Amino acid sequence: MSERGGSGPSGSGPPRASTEPLARSPIAPAPPVTVVAGWEVSGRRASADPVVGLTITDCTPLTKVQLRAPAAGGAAAALGVPFGRAARNPAGMLVAGSGPGEWLVIASPGQGRQLTAWLARLAARAQDEPVTAVDLTHGRALIRLTGSRSADVLAKVCGIDLSDDITPDGAAFRSSVAALATDVIRDDLGGQPGAAAQPAQPGAAVQPVRPGAVAKPGQLGRPGQPGRGRSYLLHCERSSGQYLFDVLLRSGAEFGIEIDGFEPPGI
């Protein structure tokens, strides 16, 4: 949120927080509209419990940084998240292995500077490796689809097997969703509390810790567990954000989908 001068003619007096947005998502917010963390977002709240209901949220305000580095190098080992998986680091950022030698790091709004600084320190320790980090926050759209029927909605527009055995909690993949290239992360909400994922040493397995963490077979929770909600994050180009949101909204109509406005920290 920006700070403006006081109400006096010379701008004197204590500053006041501006309610004007500094950024807008490509997805039109459903009314009522409010400003959160400098972003214009929907203030609508879904009536159903997201664990048993079905909601869709525009999470574009979340910080999104893409990291590229050698898949078998020191930076990859420090991240500790392999291709096709997702886990949270000690700071609570979600790290997804979105491609060979490519990671998507997601954090709460306004964390771009801190996130890129952390990745820069990581790159500095990986000597003689080509490592790049690009802040994609304003260039991409991010949508969260949550609820017991979320996989049914996604299955209508995506050909990937979404069963627990193939794409469990913590799975990350890139595929066609409604004929649109999309990064998909299964990031179930709730569940058993635990410590954040620790960076793995080279060759070491990342231990399961919480929804979205890398887990060993048989240690992943099922969406039917009390307090858990099956949830997917969908990441696409900014110009396609409204299209993808509308397609998911239409696909979920038969299941009673509701729009749920963004609330920080959001991840």
Side-chain angles (χ1 to χ4, degrees):
M1 302 274 281
S2 65
E3 296 291 322
R4 303 278 179 105
S7 57
S10 62
S12 60
R16 61 180 183 270
S18 170
T19 57
E20 297 179 5
L22 301 179
R24 289 183 173 89
S25 166
I27 301 167
V33 178
T34 186
V35 176
V36 173
W39 286 77
E40 184 179 77
V41 301
S42 172
R44 185 178 297 184
R45 296 293 169 256
S47 60
D49 183 338
V51 174
V52 295
L54 179 64
T55 62
I56 185 170
T57 301
D58 177 12
C59 290
T60 299
L62 291 175
T63 301
K64 303 172 285 292
V65 173
Q66 181 188 70
L67 178 76
R68 288 184 173 175
L79 285 172
V81 181
F83 170 44
R85 301 297 296 166
R88 282 177 171 78
N89 69 10
M93 300 173 183
L94 183 64
V95 182
S98 53
E102 181 181 323
W103 293 263
L104 177 66
V105 186
I106 304 174
S108 55
Q111 298 298 306
R113 186 172 299 177
Q114 295 91 323
L115 203 160
T116 51
W118 170 64
L119 293 174
R121 292 193 297 271
L122 184 149
R125 293 195 296 268
Q127 297 181 1
D128 301 323
E129 286 186 14
V131 180
T132 60
V134 180
D135 190 338
L136 303 176
T137 302
H138 295 274
R140 300 289 173 87
L142 187 66
I143 299 167
R144 183 180 282 279
L145 183 66
T146 301
S148 57
R149 304 303 298 270
S150 55
D152 296 313
V153 175
L154 200 51
K156 295 173 71 173
V157 292
C158 179
I160 296 295
D161 186 343
L162 300 173
S163 66
D164 290 318
D165 291 336
I166 304 301
T167 50
D169 184 16
F173 60 90
R174 182 174 293 155
S175 183
S176 172
V177 178
L180 180 69
T182 307
D183 289 322
V184 181
I185 304 168
R186 181 169 168 187
D187 182 47
D188 290 356
L189 302 179
Q192 298 299 320
Q198 300 295 324
Q201 298 300 319
V206 179
Q207 298 301 312
V209 290
R210 57 158 293 172
V214 178
K216 295 179 180 178
Q219 293 183 317
L220 290 165
R222 295 295 187 236
Q225 283 186 302
R228 293 186 71 83
R230 184 188 287 255
S231 188
Y232 297 91
L233 286 167
L234 298 101
H235 177 249
C236 69
E237 293 287 345
R238 178 182 176 90
S239 59
S240 304
Q242 185 70 64
Y243 162 75
L244 181 59
F245 190 89
D246 291 344
V247 166
L248 294 172
L249 201 57
R250 289 195 298 270
S251 298
E254 66 173 292
F255 306 116
I257 193 169
E258 294 184 271
I259 294 175
D260 198 32
F262 178 82
E263 290 185 288
I267 187 66

